[in-house]
Amino acid sequence: MTLGRFLVRRLLLVVPLLVFIAFLNFMLVRISGQDPTALIAGPTATGGELAMVRAELGLDRPLHEQFLVYIGNILTWNLGQSWVNKRSVLNDIWLRLPITLELLFWGVGLGALIGIPVGLRAARHHDGRFDQLARFLSLLGFSTPTYWLGLVMILVFFYFLNWAPPAMGRISLLMTAPPVVTGSYLLDGLIAQKWDVVQSAFAQLVLPVTAMAIVAAAPIIKQARAIALDVQGSEFVRSAQAAGLSGAVIRRMVAKNSATPVITFVGTELTALIGTASVIEYIFSWGGLGQWGLQAIIQADFMVVQGYVLTLALFSVLVFLVIDVAVFLLEPRAEMHA
Amino acid sequence: MTAVSLPDIAAAPRFSLWNRLKGLSHRSATAVIGGIIVAIFGLLSIVAPWIVPYDPILPFTDKLLAPPSAEHWFGTDGNGMDVFSRVIYATRYAFGIAIPAVLLSLAIGVPIGLWTGYRGGWADEVTLRFSDALRVFPLIILSLAVVAAAGQSLINVVLVIGILDAPVFVRVVRAEVLQLRNSTFVEAAVATGNPVRRILFVHLMLNATKGAMAQVAVRAAWAVRITATLAFFGVGIEVPTPEWGSMIRQGAEFMATGQWWVGIFPGIALIVMVLGLNMLGDGLQDLLDPRRRASAR
Amino acid sequence: MSLLVVEDLHTHFVSRDLDNRVRTAKALNSVSFALAEGEVLGLVGETGAGKSLTAFSIMGLLRPPARIVQGSVRFAGQELVGLAPEQLNAVRGARIAMVGQNPRGALDPLTRVGEQIVRVILAHQAVSREAARAAALEAMARVGIPDPARRFRSWPHELSGGMAQRVLIAMALVNRPTLLIADEPTTGLDVTVQAQILDLLRTLVREMNMAALVITHDLGVVAHYCSRMAVMFAGRIIEMGPVEAVFGTPRHPYTQALIAATPENLTLDGASPLGGRPPDLFALPPGCHYVDRCPIATEACNALPPWRSVAADHGALCHRVES
């Protein structure tokens, strides 16, 4: 099977998924039972004005028509405006998405960089001291609430030790942001060659990225270990031992055969981790998509919540797609699985 | 050459709880430690009213934000309430929400898993696609959004956690049923003319829910965690309620100003409880994993 | 001089049950045999008799909870039991090679087959990559793989079972071992391919003057390819001798039953003494392990039977055999 045919088949599967996502999102506002009419029309609106706004929003039509309208809106890039501050939801998403992705990228990258080798090593020393410690730390990571971890880091590294800057956003309040190219202050600072900006952006990144990495590493350790144990138990490892291949060669063999399932796992885990990133953003006043969305949930601003949840779901769909293509390209046996 | 001397099997004692515990902890120390932690928290939740030094929602208005002392072991919070008493009392909310939520997940997930696994066909396909589709949403965010939308109440918290977590049990039970479906005892049950309902709920359920049972502790850990997360964001639980997440929410304000005890202690209690449940679940999965069982034969 | 001497080998699975009692499955009990240079010994027995476990014990491939609790394995005078993996690796794959069951599962799925052969060469010989590559291609041609240059670049999943087994045989032979252990090398292969693989193995063993330990449950394989045979039952060798002698005058009742059960000798009358369940390895009878199924057992059989020699190189573990 060629990559083209694979992609077509894979994309066809995505269509019903997207409809489902849109439906769930649509229902989110319905079950809230909130009528945004009054919020949008303002406190002084007359009955006629209310009816006009209602018609404008399509709220006077039957439910299935409203759903079709919602789908039509999505397809025409119309995600509505915030009930609270009237800002365009789509604009805010474009503005804030890169900010979240930067945190996610460094956090998950660091988490995987720690988690995968630890998991593989734990599997190698199955039931040994290192394995037990790794398993315990992984369970501890699973059990630690993200927001509490963030708060404790602020307490220790800002309040007690004074090593970290205050957790107020992505750059020191005293600094002007560099011109936007990528949306990441770190990269934009490098491009503009403003070293003080780079330094400040880096300092602001350290705590949230570390928190993100800790939370990301826990499931990665657990899964990488389980996958590697599985590979180690397979017959070809025993036959490699029988052939007298050295420990190093066998280690490489196990790592290579664990790679595809581990990458796939990290990809699927990104769904949960972008949720985690939101919580970390909230704690560190990061100002990205997550903080924006969580605030909207707290304020019951459901037009924003809709856009937020939709973005997260689409992000996952895209990640799953990328992972599938990557596996198809990397794995010699992919044709058999497809 | 080495000759290893081994204890004699014949000298083995009769059954005793102590030996069973030692045997279990040899197989999975994790499960035993986790079980002990959960048992201690369970005990605390029952005896909480008799052991806490103060009423958990009694404000000492002259002692706001008092640091830990002999009178108030964990200090007092912004309302002057005793943090220690509140931390202990909060175990009741943890169990009070996690137990019904997991029971609800089981009540939804097990029958659906049994039925779709046994019958297959379009119902199976739809259920599978549905539970796969749910996976594109981060569960934390979805729970927060749905509870916020459905309205803030403890009942809604239980309902949302229970419903959103049911697919886990559907998947586990379905997978086991698929393996068992063609086994001899099911064929025998069909051949002797048992109705489908009976086959599912009598013959398959006991055999197929083993995997689900190991998941129960893990999902309970998740339920406790997500409850606290909801409360931390002020979704689902009202403020003076002694609940860990809501206490951490209050403590968050004081974290950057140094009154750490308000948020630290409930956080530690939450972690230990969730860790206990996770250890129990992880250990149970090890004990029930056929591959591990085989290697310990 | 004997190339391989296995002496009083005991391999047990030691674990604890839920009530913290130590449970021991005695999988190998006092296995002893020797193999001379260039000799082909067949090891037969039913599933669970301990044939493969004997091979794994020799090669140091046991995984917990299985372990050697007693005994010795000497290869060319060197003790292998208790060796560190690095020292063992100087022997495994170089001087003792193994060809196993399930050839397709035995190949690393993510490495091209030629590279896997090269890897084994480079692990044991100080040669250049190019030399190793040439040697691998030569070995592939020698085991009858058509168009080795093309097959060199194949992925394992592209090979048939028979072709994969040829690759594994090539891999086993590239370092010119003096002992080959073939552990049911034809399991799962088509019948026509089975014969090809066995003939190939025999040709190579003769050409390279290797000793071979052939593990099988198929008496036909033993009859055709081996010079001596050992019969295993419940972790013990219960009869050993030249193939003609054992087939001609089997001494142990189990061996007699085994030979009687081959297709050409099958009769329809009476219960076969082979039909019974193998004994529980956790609770082996104190005397002869075959006592429950033996048609000629007496009181004496509840004591451990002695090894009775009937000829210089033929004997059985049975009370009822006269020396």
Side-chain angles (χ1 to χ4, degrees), chain A residues 20 31-32 135 142-143 145 147-148 151 155 159 222 230 271 282 302 308 316, chain B residues 130 133 135-136 138 141 149 225 228 233 255 258 263 267 271 275 278 282 286 291:
Chain A
F20 173 80
I31 57 170
S32 80
R135 285 184 78 179
F142 263 108
S143 311
Y147 48 91
W148 188 83
L151 290 171
L155 175 75
Y159 181 78
K222 183 182 160 127
D230 214 47
T271 302
Y282 184 85
F302 279 96
Y308 168 58
S316 299
Chain B
F130 179 77
R135 287 209 242 192
V136 302
I141 304 302
R225 245 194 97 170
F233 287 102
M255 209 62 100
I271 290 175
L275 184 64
N278 271 329
D282 197 60
D286 267 359
R291 234 172 324 157

mmCIF file of all heavy atoms in Angstrom, chain A residues 20 31-32 135 142-143 145 147-148 151 155 159 222 230 271 282 302 308 316, chain B residues 130 133 135-136 138 141 149 225 228 233 255 258 263 267 271 275 278 282 286 291:
data_model
loop_
_atom_site.group_PDB
_atom_site.id
_atom_site.type_symbol
_atom_site.label_atom_id
_atom_site.label_comp_id
_atom_site.label_asym_id
_atom_site.label_seq_id
_atom_site.Cartn_x
_atom_site.Cartn_y
_atom_site.Cartn_z
ATOM 1 N N PHE A 20 -18.621 13.810 15.383
ATOM 2 C CA PHE A 20 -18.859 13.470 16.781
ATOM 3 C C PHE A 20 -18.327 14.566 17.714
ATOM 4 O O PHE A 20 -18.991 14.972 18.665
ATOM 5 C CB PHE A 20 -18.193 12.128 17.100
ATOM 6 C CG PHE A 20 -18.229 11.764 18.553
ATOM 7 C CD1 PHE A 20 -19.364 11.218 19.119
ATOM 8 C CD2 PHE A 20 -17.116 11.983 19.362
ATOM 9 C CE1 PHE A 20 -19.401 10.888 20.455
ATOM 10 C CE2 PHE A 20 -17.156 11.660 20.702
ATOM 11 C CZ PHE A 20 -18.292 11.108 21.249
ATOM 12 N N ILE A 31 -26.517 21.484 27.308
ATOM 13 C CA ILE A 31 -26.785 20.991 28.667
ATOM 14 C C ILE A 31 -26.509 22.061 29.710
ATOM 15 O O ILE A 31 -27.005 21.982 30.824
ATOM 16 C CB ILE A 31 -25.997 19.711 29.040
ATOM 17 C CG1 ILE A 31 -24.517 19.926 28.887
ATOM 18 C CG2 ILE A 31 -26.470 18.510 28.257
ATOM 19 C CD1 ILE A 31 -23.701 18.785 29.472
ATOM 20 N N SER A 32 -25.735 23.069 29.338
ATOM 21 C CA SER A 32 -25.506 24.131 30.317
ATOM 22 C C SER A 32 -26.814 24.868 30.566
ATOM 23 O O SER A 32 -26.986 25.483 31.613
ATOM 24 C CB SER A 32 -24.441 25.099 29.815
ATOM 25 O OG SER A 32 -24.996 26.010 28.900
ATOM 26 N N ARG A 135 9.369 2.452 39.377
ATOM 27 C CA ARG A 135 7.933 2.189 39.445
ATOM 28 C C ARG A 135 7.270 3.056 40.496
ATOM 29 O O ARG A 135 6.194 3.587 40.291
ATOM 30 C CB ARG A 135 7.679 0.716 39.794
ATOM 31 C CG ARG A 135 7.911 -0.210 38.668
ATOM 32 C CD ARG A 135 7.547 -1.619 39.052
ATOM 33 N NE ARG A 135 6.103 -1.815 39.010
ATOM 34 C CZ ARG A 135 5.519 -2.974 39.283
ATOM 35 N NH1 ARG A 135 6.239 -3.999 39.642
ATOM 36 N NH2 ARG A 135 4.232 -3.103 39.219
ATOM 37 N N PHE A 142 1.955 9.846 38.972
ATOM 38 C CA PHE A 142 0.553 9.643 38.622
ATOM 39 C C PHE A 142 -0.373 10.230 39.678
ATOM 40 O O PHE A 142 -1.482 10.636 39.387
ATOM 41 C CB PHE A 142 0.249 8.134 38.588
ATOM 42 C CG PHE A 142 0.291 7.538 37.228
ATOM 43 C CD1 PHE A 142 1.328 6.700 36.858
ATOM 44 C CD2 PHE A 142 -0.701 7.824 36.321
ATOM 45 C CE1 PHE A 142 1.359 6.142 35.607
ATOM 46 C CE2 PHE A 142 -0.681 7.266 35.069
ATOM 47 C CZ PHE A 142 0.361 6.429 34.709
ATOM 48 N N SER A 143 0.095 10.182 40.935
ATOM 49 C CA SER A 143 -0.793 10.499 42.044
ATOM 50 C C SER A 143 -0.694 11.952 42.482
ATOM 51 O O SER A 143 -1.456 12.389 43.335
ATOM 52 C CB SER A 143 -0.468 9.592 43.240
ATOM 53 O OG SER A 143 -0.391 8.252 42.817
ATOM 54 N N PRO A 145 -1.285 15.801 42.146
ATOM 55 C CA PRO A 145 -2.072 16.729 41.342
ATOM 56 C C PRO A 145 -1.166 17.801 40.733
ATOM 57 O O PRO A 145 -0.320 18.369 41.423
ATOM 58 C CB PRO A 145 -3.043 17.355 42.342
ATOM 59 C CG PRO A 145 -2.820 16.689 43.646
ATOM 60 C CD PRO A 145 -1.572 15.894 43.575
ATOM 61 N N TYR A 147 -1.697 20.865 39.745
ATOM 62 C CA TYR A 147 -1.770 22.223 40.290
ATOM 63 C C TYR A 147 -1.016 22.327 41.603
ATOM 64 O O TYR A 147 -0.331 23.314 41.864
ATOM 65 C CB TYR A 147 -3.236 22.651 40.463
ATOM 66 C CG TYR A 147 -4.102 21.637 41.165
ATOM 67 C CD1 TYR A 147 -4.264 21.669 42.536
ATOM 68 C CD2 TYR A 147 -4.747 20.639 40.440
ATOM 69 C CE1 TYR A 147 -5.055 20.736 43.182
ATOM 70 C CE2 TYR A 147 -5.539 19.698 41.082
ATOM 71 C CZ TYR A 147 -5.685 19.749 42.451
ATOM 72 O OH TYR A 147 -6.451 18.814 43.087
ATOM 73 N N TRP A 148 -1.083 21.268 42.410
ATOM 74 C CA TRP A 148 -0.390 21.290 43.707
ATOM 75 C C TRP A 148 1.120 21.283 43.486
ATOM 76 O O TRP A 148 1.861 22.028 44.128
ATOM 77 C CB TRP A 148 -0.827 20.076 44.528
ATOM 78 C CG TRP A 148 -0.331 20.073 45.947
ATOM 79 C CD1 TRP A 148 -0.880 20.719 47.003
ATOM 80 C CD2 TRP A 148 0.821 19.392 46.430
ATOM 81 N NE1 TRP A 148 -0.159 20.484 48.132
ATOM 82 C CE2 TRP A 148 0.900 19.677 47.825
ATOM 83 C CE3 TRP A 148 1.801 18.579 45.868
ATOM 84 C CZ2 TRP A 148 1.915 19.166 48.629
ATOM 85 C CZ3 TRP A 148 2.796 18.076 46.682
ATOM 86 C CH2 TRP A 148 2.849 18.371 48.044
ATOM 87 N N LEU A 151 2.169 24.710 42.533
ATOM 88 C CA LEU A 151 2.144 25.619 43.681
ATOM 89 C C LEU A 151 3.331 25.379 44.595
ATOM 90 O O LEU A 151 3.961 26.331 45.088
ATOM 91 C CB LEU A 151 0.837 25.423 44.470
ATOM 92 C CG LEU A 151 -0.433 25.916 43.782
ATOM 93 C CD1 LEU A 151 -1.668 25.459 44.551
ATOM 94 C CD2 LEU A 151 -0.413 27.438 43.670
ATOM 95 N N LEU A 155 6.249 27.915 45.735
ATOM 96 C CA LEU A 155 6.560 28.147 47.148
ATOM 97 C C LEU A 155 8.055 27.958 47.407
ATOM 98 O O LEU A 155 8.719 28.798 48.007
ATOM 99 C CB LEU A 155 5.756 27.174 48.019
ATOM 100 C CG LEU A 155 6.069 27.216 49.521
ATOM 101 C CD1 LEU A 155 5.439 28.457 50.141
ATOM 102 C CD2 LEU A 155 5.580 25.968 50.230
ATOM 103 N N TYR A 159 9.331 31.615 46.660
ATOM 104 C CA TYR A 159 9.174 32.221 47.974
ATOM 105 C C TYR A 159 10.347 31.911 48.909
ATOM 106 O O TYR A 159 10.949 32.800 49.484
ATOM 107 C CB TYR A 159 7.861 31.771 48.619
ATOM 108 C CG TYR A 159 7.657 32.397 49.980
ATOM 109 C CD1 TYR A 159 7.214 33.719 50.085
ATOM 110 C CD2 TYR A 159 7.949 31.699 51.142
ATOM 111 C CE1 TYR A 159 7.060 34.323 51.314
ATOM 112 C CE2 TYR A 159 7.795 32.292 52.384
ATOM 113 C CZ TYR A 159 7.348 33.610 52.460
ATOM 114 O OH TYR A 159 7.204 34.204 53.688
ATOM 115 N N LYS A 222 6.151 4.285 32.998
ATOM 116 C CA LYS A 222 5.363 3.068 33.202
ATOM 117 C C LYS A 222 5.201 2.304 31.886
ATOM 118 O O LYS A 222 5.408 1.094 31.823
ATOM 119 C CB LYS A 222 3.996 3.436 33.779
ATOM 120 C CG LYS A 222 3.134 2.229 34.088
ATOM 121 C CD LYS A 222 1.772 2.656 34.604
ATOM 122 C CE LYS A 222 0.813 1.493 34.426
ATOM 123 N NZ LYS A 222 0.116 1.129 35.617
ATOM 124 N N ASP A 230 7.994 -6.470 27.518
ATOM 125 C CA ASP A 230 7.350 -7.302 26.521
ATOM 126 C C ASP A 230 8.347 -7.716 25.436
ATOM 127 O O ASP A 230 8.429 -8.888 25.058
ATOM 128 C CB ASP A 230 6.227 -6.472 25.898
ATOM 129 C CG ASP A 230 5.051 -7.317 25.532
ATOM 130 O OD1 ASP A 230 4.651 -8.117 26.385
ATOM 131 O OD2 ASP A 230 4.565 -7.184 24.399
ATOM 132 N N THR A 271 -2.873 13.883 24.260
ATOM 133 C CA THR A 271 -4.249 14.312 24.533
ATOM 134 C C THR A 271 -4.405 14.712 25.992
ATOM 135 O O THR A 271 -4.879 15.796 26.308
ATOM 136 C CB THR A 271 -5.222 13.171 24.221
ATOM 137 O OG1 THR A 271 -5.055 12.811 22.864
ATOM 138 C CG2 THR A 271 -6.643 13.592 24.458
ATOM 139 N N TYR A 282 -2.584 27.740 34.110
ATOM 140 C CA TYR A 282 -3.435 28.440 35.063
ATOM 141 C C TYR A 282 -2.633 28.812 36.304
ATOM 142 O O TYR A 282 -2.718 29.935 36.807
ATOM 143 C CB TYR A 282 -4.600 27.523 35.416
ATOM 144 C CG TYR A 282 -5.634 28.138 36.320
ATOM 145 C CD1 TYR A 282 -6.664 28.902 35.802
ATOM 146 C CD2 TYR A 282 -5.581 27.934 37.697
ATOM 147 C CE1 TYR A 282 -7.626 29.469 36.627
ATOM 148 C CE2 TYR A 282 -6.532 28.485 38.529
ATOM 149 C CZ TYR A 282 -7.555 29.246 37.997
ATOM 150 O OH TYR A 282 -8.497 29.801 38.827
ATOM 151 N N PHE A 302 -19.439 29.949 27.716
ATOM 152 C CA PHE A 302 -19.420 28.691 26.981
ATOM 153 C C PHE A 302 -19.062 28.812 25.510
ATOM 154 O O PHE A 302 -18.680 27.836 24.885
ATOM 155 C CB PHE A 302 -20.735 27.931 27.172
ATOM 156 C CG PHE A 302 -20.750 27.199 28.467
ATOM 157 C CD1 PHE A 302 -21.348 27.751 29.588
ATOM 158 C CD2 PHE A 302 -20.094 25.984 28.587
ATOM 159 C CE1 PHE A 302 -21.309 27.094 30.794
ATOM 160 C CE2 PHE A 302 -20.057 25.325 29.788
ATOM 161 C CZ PHE A 302 -20.659 25.872 30.901
ATOM 162 N N TYR A 308 -12.399 26.256 22.870
ATOM 163 C CA TYR A 308 -11.270 25.662 23.573
ATOM 164 C C TYR A 308 -11.289 24.140 23.467
ATOM 165 O O TYR A 308 -10.314 23.506 23.034
ATOM 166 C CB TYR A 308 -11.345 26.134 25.028
ATOM 167 C CG TYR A 308 -10.458 25.453 26.029
ATOM 168 C CD1 TYR A 308 -9.077 25.436 25.880
ATOM 169 C CD2 TYR A 308 -11.004 24.873 27.177
ATOM 170 C CE1 TYR A 308 -8.272 24.845 26.839
ATOM 171 C CE2 TYR A 308 -10.214 24.291 28.134
ATOM 172 C CZ TYR A 308 -8.850 24.268 27.956
ATOM 173 O OH TYR A 308 -8.070 23.687 28.906
ATOM 174 N N SER A 316 -5.657 16.667 19.138
ATOM 175 C CA SER A 316 -5.453 15.221 19.308
ATOM 176 C C SER A 316 -5.630 14.480 17.998
ATOM 177 O O SER A 316 -4.853 13.589 17.664
ATOM 178 C CB SER A 316 -6.440 14.656 20.323
ATOM 179 O OG SER A 316 -6.257 15.261 21.561
ATOM 180 N N PHE B 130 -17.341 4.950 19.598
ATOM 181 C CA PHE B 130 -17.728 5.992 20.538
ATOM 182 C C PHE B 130 -16.672 6.143 21.629
ATOM 183 O O PHE B 130 -16.229 7.250 21.936
ATOM 184 C CB PHE B 130 -19.085 5.636 21.146
ATOM 185 C CG PHE B 130 -19.576 6.636 22.153
ATOM 186 C CD1 PHE B 130 -20.119 7.844 21.736
ATOM 187 C CD2 PHE B 130 -19.490 6.368 23.507
ATOM 188 C CE1 PHE B 130 -20.572 8.768 22.665
ATOM 189 C CE2 PHE B 130 -19.931 7.290 24.439
ATOM 190 C CZ PHE B 130 -20.473 8.495 24.015
ATOM 191 N N ALA B 133 -13.623 7.645 20.200
ATOM 192 C CA ALA B 133 -13.793 9.066 19.891
ATOM 193 C C ALA B 133 -13.659 9.908 21.152
ATOM 194 O O ALA B 133 -13.093 11.003 21.128
ATOM 195 C CB ALA B 133 -15.150 9.297 19.238
ATOM 196 N N ARG B 135 -11.727 9.520 23.402
ATOM 197 C CA ARG B 135 -10.321 9.622 23.800
ATOM 198 C C ARG B 135 -9.607 10.836 23.230
ATOM 199 O O ARG B 135 -8.487 11.121 23.620
ATOM 200 C CB ARG B 135 -9.566 8.373 23.352
ATOM 201 C CG ARG B 135 -9.922 7.169 24.193
ATOM 202 C CD ARG B 135 -8.751 6.241 24.234
ATOM 203 N NE ARG B 135 -9.075 4.957 23.648
ATOM 204 C CZ ARG B 135 -8.299 3.897 23.777
ATOM 205 N NH1 ARG B 135 -7.171 3.982 24.422
ATOM 206 N NH2 ARG B 135 -8.646 2.762 23.234
ATOM 207 N N VAL B 136 -10.217 11.522 22.263
ATOM 208 C CA VAL B 136 -9.525 12.703 21.738
ATOM 209 C C VAL B 136 -9.684 13.899 22.679
ATOM 210 O O VAL B 136 -9.024 14.913 22.504
ATOM 211 C CB VAL B 136 -10.000 13.087 20.316
ATOM 212 C CG1 VAL B 136 -9.796 11.945 19.355
ATOM 213 C CG2 VAL B 136 -11.421 13.569 20.328
ATOM 214 N N PRO B 138 -9.146 15.613 26.348
ATOM 215 C CA PRO B 138 -8.477 15.420 27.636
ATOM 216 C C PRO B 138 -9.562 15.251 28.700
ATOM 217 O O PRO B 138 -10.448 16.093 28.818
ATOM 218 C CB PRO B 138 -7.708 16.717 27.849
ATOM 219 C CG PRO B 138 -7.761 17.453 26.569
ATOM 220 C CD PRO B 138 -8.908 16.929 25.781
ATOM 221 N N ILE B 141 -10.197 18.162 31.213
ATOM 222 C CA ILE B 141 -10.871 19.348 30.678
ATOM 223 C C ILE B 141 -12.325 19.034 30.395
ATOM 224 O O ILE B 141 -13.228 19.826 30.703
ATOM 225 C CB ILE B 141 -10.163 19.822 29.390
ATOM 226 C CG1 ILE B 141 -8.677 20.083 29.657
ATOM 227 C CG2 ILE B 141 -10.833 21.061 28.834
ATOM 228 C CD1 ILE B 141 -8.396 21.098 30.716
ATOM 229 N N ALA B 149 -20.992 22.947 32.878
ATOM 230 C CA ALA B 149 -22.190 23.120 32.065
ATOM 231 C C ALA B 149 -23.411 22.539 32.756
ATOM 232 O O ALA B 149 -24.491 23.128 32.748
ATOM 233 C CB ALA B 149 -21.996 22.457 30.705
ATOM 234 N N ARG B 225 -8.761 11.988 42.408
ATOM 235 C CA ARG B 225 -7.950 13.059 41.832
ATOM 236 C C ARG B 225 -8.794 14.096 41.115
ATOM 237 O O ARG B 225 -8.620 15.295 41.278
ATOM 238 C CB ARG B 225 -6.980 12.449 40.813
ATOM 239 C CG ARG B 225 -5.545 12.590 41.199
ATOM 240 C CD ARG B 225 -4.677 12.278 40.017
ATOM 241 N NE ARG B 225 -4.284 13.512 39.352
ATOM 242 C CZ ARG B 225 -3.372 13.571 38.410
ATOM 243 N NH1 ARG B 225 -2.780 12.481 38.020
ATOM 244 N NH2 ARG B 225 -3.057 14.703 37.867
ATOM 245 N N ALA B 228 -10.882 16.360 43.313
ATOM 246 C CA ALA B 228 -10.081 17.427 43.894
ATOM 247 C C ALA B 228 -9.773 18.489 42.847
ATOM 248 O O ALA B 228 -9.783 19.692 43.132
ATOM 249 C CB ALA B 228 -8.800 16.854 44.477
ATOM 250 N N PHE B 233 -10.674 24.084 40.945
ATOM 251 C CA PHE B 233 -11.098 25.128 40.022
ATOM 252 C C PHE B 233 -12.453 25.705 40.402
ATOM 253 O O PHE B 233 -13.060 26.433 39.626
ATOM 254 C CB PHE B 233 -11.111 24.599 38.585
ATOM 255 C CG PHE B 233 -9.729 24.428 38.032
ATOM 256 C CD1 PHE B 233 -9.145 23.183 37.955
ATOM 257 C CD2 PHE B 233 -8.999 25.528 37.630
ATOM 258 C CE1 PHE B 233 -7.860 23.029 37.472
ATOM 259 C CE2 PHE B 233 -7.714 25.385 37.149
ATOM 260 C CZ PHE B 233 -7.141 24.138 37.068
ATOM 261 N N MET B 255 0.221 30.699 48.957
ATOM 262 C CA MET B 255 1.465 29.990 48.666
ATOM 263 C C MET B 255 2.598 30.983 48.372
ATOM 264 O O MET B 255 3.724 30.801 48.817
ATOM 265 C CB MET B 255 1.251 29.066 47.455
ATOM 266 C CG MET B 255 2.125 27.841 47.451
ATOM 267 S SD MET B 255 1.842 26.740 48.844
ATOM 268 C CE MET B 255 0.811 25.489 48.131
ATOM 269 N N GLY B 258 3.785 32.748 51.677
ATOM 270 C CA GLY B 258 4.464 32.025 52.746
ATOM 271 C C GLY B 258 3.592 31.266 53.720
ATOM 272 O O GLY B 258 4.095 30.556 54.577
ATOM 273 N N GLY B 263 -2.210 25.033 52.090
ATOM 274 C CA GLY B 263 -2.355 24.222 50.884
ATOM 275 C C GLY B 263 -1.517 22.957 50.864
ATOM 276 O O GLY B 263 -1.826 22.015 50.147
ATOM 277 N N GLY B 267 -2.759 18.755 50.240
ATOM 278 C CA GLY B 267 -2.121 18.177 49.053
ATOM 279 C C GLY B 267 -1.436 16.865 49.376
ATOM 280 O O GLY B 267 -1.563 15.885 48.640
ATOM 281 N N ILE B 271 -2.278 13.213 47.893
ATOM 282 C CA ILE B 271 -1.292 12.393 47.187
ATOM 283 C C ILE B 271 -1.202 11.004 47.803
ATOM 284 O O ILE B 271 -1.209 10.000 47.092
ATOM 285 C CB ILE B 271 0.098 13.065 47.220
ATOM 286 C CG1 ILE B 271 0.077 14.307 46.341
ATOM 287 C CG2 ILE B 271 1.167 12.102 46.755
ATOM 288 C CD1 ILE B 271 1.357 15.098 46.390
ATOM 289 N N LEU B 275 -2.052 7.761 45.835
ATOM 290 C CA LEU B 275 -0.928 6.834 45.680
ATOM 291 C C LEU B 275 -1.307 5.446 46.195
ATOM 292 O O LEU B 275 -1.026 4.430 45.550
ATOM 293 C CB LEU B 275 0.289 7.374 46.435
ATOM 294 C CG LEU B 275 1.575 6.566 46.294
ATOM 295 C CD1 LEU B 275 2.058 6.572 44.863
ATOM 296 C CD2 LEU B 275 2.666 7.118 47.212
ATOM 297 N N ASN B 278 -3.546 3.848 43.707
ATOM 298 C CA ASN B 278 -2.794 3.481 42.500
ATOM 299 C C ASN B 278 -1.890 2.281 42.741
ATOM 300 O O ASN B 278 -1.738 1.415 41.882
ATOM 301 C CB ASN B 278 -1.945 4.664 42.019
ATOM 302 C CG ASN B 278 -2.717 5.549 41.052
ATOM 303 O OD1 ASN B 278 -3.582 5.070 40.317
ATOM 304 N ND2 ASN B 278 -2.410 6.830 41.051
ATOM 305 N N ASP B 282 -2.175 -1.072 40.732
ATOM 306 C CA ASP B 282 -1.009 -1.539 39.978
ATOM 307 C C ASP B 282 -0.622 -2.950 40.418
ATOM 308 O O ASP B 282 -0.357 -3.828 39.605
ATOM 309 C CB ASP B 282 0.144 -0.560 40.240
ATOM 310 C CG ASP B 282 1.238 -0.697 39.218
ATOM 311 O OD1 ASP B 282 0.939 -0.487 38.030
ATOM 312 O OD2 ASP B 282 2.371 -1.030 39.607
ATOM 313 N N ASP B 286 -0.692 -6.646 38.449
ATOM 314 C CA ASP B 286 0.435 -7.590 38.416
ATOM 315 C C ASP B 286 -0.009 -8.981 38.827
ATOM 316 O O ASP B 286 0.348 -9.969 38.203
ATOM 317 C CB ASP B 286 1.533 -7.129 39.378
ATOM 318 C CG ASP B 286 2.552 -6.275 38.670
ATOM 319 O OD1 ASP B 286 2.392 -6.086 37.452
ATOM 320 O OD2 ASP B 286 3.479 -5.809 39.330
ATOM 321 N N ARG B 291 0.663 -13.371 32.328
ATOM 322 C CA ARG B 291 2.059 -13.609 31.975
ATOM 323 C C ARG B 291 2.926 -13.628 33.224
ATOM 324 O O ARG B 291 3.809 -14.433 33.383
ATOM 325 C CB ARG B 291 2.555 -12.536 31.026
ATOM 326 C CG ARG B 291 3.145 -13.128 29.784
ATOM 327 C CD ARG B 291 3.444 -12.050 28.813
ATOM 328 N NE ARG B 291 2.418 -11.018 28.911
ATOM 329 C CZ ARG B 291 2.590 -9.774 28.545
ATOM 330 N NH1 ARG B 291 3.737 -9.392 28.060
ATOM 331 N NH2 ARG B 291 1.627 -8.892 28.639
#
